Amino acid sequence: MHPRLINPPDEDPGLLVEFLFERRALLFDLGDLAPVPPRTLLRVTHAFVTHAHMDHFAGLDRLLRVCLGREKALHLFGPEGFIDRVAGRLAGYTWNLAPGYVHDFVITATALHGDGSARTADFHSRRAFSREAERETRVGNGVLLREDALTVRAAVLDHGTPCLALRVEEPAHVNVWKSGLEALGLSTGPWLRDLKRAVLRGESDDTAVLAARPGGGEAVLPLGRLREGALSTTPGQAIAYVVDAGPPSRNGERIVDLARGADVLFIEAPFLDVDAELAAQRNHLTAAQAGRLAAAAGVGRIVPFHFSPRYAGREGELAAEAEAAFRGGLVGPPAAPDR
């Protein structure tokens, strides 16, 4: 997984997570997506919207514009009421020509409720994005997406409105060594996605794998030979994303539980701790609170972002305060978790 913030930390929040060899990506939040090229947006299979404030959701139009007219499925997730928000955005356009497009672009929207229930609906371009096929489900332990190679889990935070915190993790990480592939007379390509998934499913060494050769040829090799010559397996990577959360007294325990042991935590740090009262009034964390929560969760490193414009020109102070709190450089006890 290759995560990166879409915009500078003082602009619209958003995280792009790309997957090597898979030509696939996830989005966390849909703020300003202008920096993401269309070819990358077309690789997005799932987008997770923390909440529908404009700086987290306005980019849906760009994503929709890029995907429209293509044979593509996109799954959107958000908090309670999210399906209504998606339906409202789609209803803002005239779709009389969309049913005539060659390809049907399908949007599936899922809203996660605080009690663990979820509601899902579909929107098809061929039917002018009418809301249909609504159904109710249960979400165990906040898991929104589970595949062989990854799991995405959410926690519902309080931002004065329900807001999702998110975690994506691999059960294990399958490393592919290009030199090993070359020694076997193979090339990289989409076939490596199926190879990795076969390893993660624990398939036997004699499982036949269709591999690509340079110049467009193919070869069938046993999984054991590929495992021995070109693969290694290491513990999976975990990435957490926390933005727009009220003070730790209301959200701390849920944040720590979600982020626990993550390799990297992308976490909002809009206010300096001297302005903690203002941060609480606006349902945000301070940089120091963000750092202490990260330390309590035992994450590998933090990436603070979503800086308030009130600190224009002082963004370094926010980053330094968050890092100092994370490293234990600030005086004071850790933020109290919810009880």
Side-chain angles (χ1 to χ4, degrees):
M1 295 189 292
H2 296 264
R4 64 178 175 87
L5 291 174
I6 295 170
N7 298 297
D10 59 341
E11 296 181 11
D12 281 6
L15 184 71
L16 176 71
V17 182
E18 296 184 273
F19 295 83
L20 190 64
F21 300 129
E22 292 203 24
R23 300 182 63 83
R24 189 252 184 108
L26 306 178
L27 280 173
F28 291 173
D29 273 335
L30 300 176
D32 181 6
L33 298 181
V36 185
R39 66 180 180 276
T40 301
L41 290 178
L42 286 171
R43 297 174 184 171
V44 173
T45 58
H46 298 74
F48 303 84
V49 178
T50 57
H51 61 300
H53 283 167
M54 192 172 187
D55 55 338
H56 299 256
F57 195 38
L60 177 63
D61 283 7
R62 174 168 168 78
L63 185 58
L64 179 64
R65 181 67 185 88
V66 169
C67 295
L68 190 63
R70 301 177 184 270
E71 189 173 9
K72 180 174 176 56
L74 175 68
H75 202 146
L76 305 175
F77 297 85
E80 186 170 355
F82 183 64
I83 297 175
D84 294 335
R85 304 290 184 268
V86 173
R89 292 288 293 278
L90 293 171
Y93 296 97
T94 300
W95 299 112
N96 63 301
L97 300 181
Y101 293 166
V102 173
H103 300 298
D104 185 20
F105 171 40
V106 184
I107 296 174
T108 299
T110 295
L112 175 64
H113 300 171
D115 63 0
S117 65
R119 189 167 185 83
T120 298
D122 297 330
F123 302 83
H124 289 254
S125 63
R126 280 186 177 161
R127 292 191 282 279
F129 289 114
S130 60
R131 181 172 175 168
E132 58 186 73
E134 292 197 44
R135 60 266 192 199
E136 297 279 352
T137 57
R138 296 291 303 178
V139 175
N141 197 31
V143 175
L144 298 177
L145 176 65
R146 189 188 299 278
E147 299 178 354
D148 291 335
L150 66 91
T151 299
V152 178
R153 183 161 63 91
V156 181
L157 305 182
D158 177 7
H159 179 52
T161 185
C163 181
L164 302 185
L166 297 155
R167 177 189 180 105
V168 56
E169 59 187 318
E170 305 165 303
H173 184 71
V174 181
N175 304 287
V176 179
W177 305 112
K178 190 173 181 181
S179 59
L181 292 178
E182 291 173 348
L184 292 169
L186 305 175
S187 62
T188 60
W191 72 276
L192 292 173
R193 175 189 57 200
D194 296 329
L195 172 62
K196 289 183 176 185
R197 291 178 179 174
V199 173
L200 293 172
R201 287 194 299 267
E203 296 190 11
S204 64
D205 283 349
D206 60 0
T207 300
V209 176
L210 182 64
R213 290 194 182 279
E218 294 181 330
V220 178
L221 286 83
L223 177 58
R225 186 176 178 190
L226 290 163
R227 199 195 309 265
E228 181 180 352
L231 304 178
S232 67
T233 303
T234 56
Q237 183 183 13
I239 299 161
Y241 177 85
V242 176
V243 65
D244 282 34
S249 59
R250 301 205 309 267
N251 293 295
E253 187 172 29
R254 290 189 289 274
I255 292 172
V256 169
D257 285 347
L258 183 84
R260 195 177 306 280
D263 295 276
V264 57
L265 169 61
F266 294 85
I267 187 166
E268 72 156 6
F271 293 89
L272 291 173
D273 215 40
V274 69
D275 295 320
E277 184 175 345
L278 178 60
Q281 290 172 0
R282 298 189 178 178
N283 287 297
H284 281 289
L285 298 173
T286 69
Q289 288 168 350
R292 289 194 289 265
L293 288 168
V299 306
R301 66 184 179 94
I302 60 170
V303 178
F305 72 111
H306 203 24
F307 300 158
S308 169
R310 71 184 286 114
Y311 302 102
R314 302 170 60 197
E315 293 84 0
E317 294 179 42
L318 291 162
E321 182 175 281
E323 186 67 25
F326 177 52
R327 299 298 175 189
L330 291 184
V331 177
D338 294 352
R339 294 297 182 194

